[in-house]
Amino acid sequence: MNMKTDITSFGEILIDFTREGSNETGAALFAQHPGGAPANVCVAIRRLGGNPAFIGKVGTDMHGAMLKKVLEDEGIDVSQVIADPNFFTTLAFVDVNEEGERTFSFSRKPGADTQIRMEEIDPAIIQNSKIFHCGSLSLTDQPARSTTHQLIALAKVSGVAISYDPNYRASLWPSEDVAIEQMRSLIPMVDIMKISDEECALLTDQTDPQQAANVLLKQGPKIVAITLGSQGALIACAAGSKVVSGFKSKVADTNGAGDSFWGAMLYQIAHCNQALDQIDLDTLAQFARYANAVAALTVRKHGAIPAMPTAQEVANFLEQVDE
């Protein structure tokens, strides 16, 4: 694969207003952080040395301008980041408890990210990629839902590997049944897939990660990863499966942990120069160990994009733990 772009990521880019304490009167203080899972994946890949592109829509407001500049400053291709004056950039308000776990409240009725149309996108950006990546938040509303399916179809006919990370956010769906139907609709179309252990039942009707991975593999994906929080990740392919232990880390904020893990996995898959069904289980386990290290470093800092580590930081971390 000699194409120019490692990965083209499509979907939401937004502002995470993350709670970081209270002022002297007890009012909550929120810090403005750039985020959105598909954008986070792009940043993770770029900081590891990859060459990603992002497709998405923001408003012509202060938040949209900030988000585009953040990606530009990272060196990410933003030629397909569309600014639309008719819609406001999506905002997410994030509360983080003492264990670093998050709850979300969204301002997205509709958010600019849900209003992107296929005719606004240059198909060459997909055709010139090794991997096309998307999540499920683009499936919550039209026209972004149809655009998601059209981009996946374009990637498929173009011979581009398709990556999918469902990333369930209950408050953005009219019901859990609708979420299940839409989120599951993409599984047979994709080649590489990640879910969290909390999403196993939602996507497969199985609560055990091993059983969930088996269900997903039977539907079409060639590589499946199920993140297990601090326990690491389960990696599965046709040859079998393996749990790869995580690293101990002091948690400031889990926001972006899964995205940084998946960005690291996609970066390594894109650069291994092997067909997906030819990557053996031991190699995938090595990729997962590196991705676990990326995630362990990400949770040490607040925010998603600001917390993503560089390749050198990951190398230093692994050198220390291997001593």
Side-chain angles (χ1 to χ4, degrees):
M1 294 189 291
N2 297 314
M3 301 179 221
K4 181 178 70 174
T5 304
D6 294 328
I7 176 174
T8 294
S9 188
F10 167 73
E12 71 276 8
I13 184 169
L14 49 80
I15 300 292
D16 285 323
F17 283 102
T18 307
R19 184 168 183 174
E20 294 188 0
S22 304
N23 67 10
E24 63 276 4
T25 67
L29 297 175
F30 288 84
Q32 181 195 43
H33 294 297
N40 294 343
V41 167
C42 273
V43 174
I45 290 168
R46 181 61 183 156
R47 291 196 181 168
L48 296 175
N51 184 28
F54 182 76
I55 305 172
K57 181 175 276 194
V58 297
T60 54
D61 47 60
M62 62 184 291
H63 303 301
M66 173 200 172
L67 290 168
K68 188 170 183 179
K69 185 176 187 303
V70 165
L71 296 188
E72 282 179 328
D73 289 348
E74 293 286 343
I76 293 165
D77 180 347
V78 294
S79 62
Q80 299 299 298
V81 176
I82 301 153
D84 191 327
N86 298 308
F87 305 99
F88 200 72
T89 300
T90 296
L91 309 178
F93 295 85
V94 188
D95 198 5
V96 183
N97 66 19
E98 292 180 357
E99 287 74 42
E101 296 301 322
R102 306 157 293 158
T103 55
F104 293 84
S105 179
F106 290 89
S107 177
R108 191 185 187 232
K109 296 181 179 180
D113 66 290
T114 69
Q115 300 303 303
I116 190 166
R117 299 177 181 274
M118 186 65 187
E119 55 265 30
E120 298 175 295
I121 300 167
D122 182 355
I125 197 166
I126 304 294
Q127 297 161 337
N128 197 35
S129 300
K130 296 178 182 178
I131 298 172
F132 171 71
H133 171 70
C134 66
S136 63
L137 267 63
S138 60
L139 299 175
T140 60
D141 298 275
Q142 291 287 15
R145 180 185 300 164
S146 293
T147 304
T148 305
H149 284 273
Q150 289 170 301
L151 289 171
I152 286 174
L154 174 62
K156 185 70 73 175
V157 300
S158 302
V160 176
I162 301 165
S163 162
Y164 178 40
D165 178 4
N167 199 29
Y168 179 56
R169 296 287 179 262
S171 63
L172 294 178
W173 295 92
S175 70
E176 186 175 285
D177 287 343
V178 172
I180 289 171
E181 177 188 4
Q182 292 298 326
M183 292 167 71
R184 292 186 183 188
S185 70
L186 297 190
I187 297 172
M189 308 176 194
V190 307
D191 303 298
I192 320 166
M193 186 171 174
K194 177 191 88 67
I195 63 173
S196 70
D197 51 354
E198 297 173 345
E199 293 164 337
C200 286
L202 197 73
L203 273 296
T204 69
D205 295 322
Q206 303 291 329
T207 56
D208 177 71
Q210 178 63 71
Q211 294 176 357
N214 292 339
V215 169
L216 294 174
L217 288 171
K218 288 176 181 177
Q219 293 182 63
K222 299 176 179 68
I223 298 170
V224 170
I226 300 179
T227 55
L228 308 173
S230 62
Q231 301 305 307
L234 182 146
I235 300 296
C237 62
S241 64
K242 184 176 290 189
V243 173
V244 182
S245 298
F247 298 94
K248 291 183 178 179
S249 193
K250 185 176 181 181
V251 177
D253 178 3
T254 59
N255 200 18
D259 301 328
S260 67
F261 171 89
W262 197 231
M265 286 295 296
L266 294 180
Y267 169 73
Q268 293 171 100
I269 290 169
H271 282 262
C272 74
N273 295 316
Q274 289 181 272
L276 296 179
D277 55 6
Q278 296 299 311
I279 306 174
D280 63 54
L281 184 59
D282 287 342
T283 299
L284 289 173
Q286 291 171 13
F287 290 173
R289 185 175 188 269
Y290 184 87
N292 283 339
V294 173
L297 289 170
T298 299
V299 301
R300 292 182 174 184
K301 299 178 182 178
H302 288 285
I305 286 175
M308 303 283 178
T310 64
Q312 187 59 57
E313 289 171 331
V314 180
N316 292 344
F317 175 80
L318 288 171
E319 186 177 345
Q320 291 173 359
V321 298
D322 288 338
E323 286 180 352

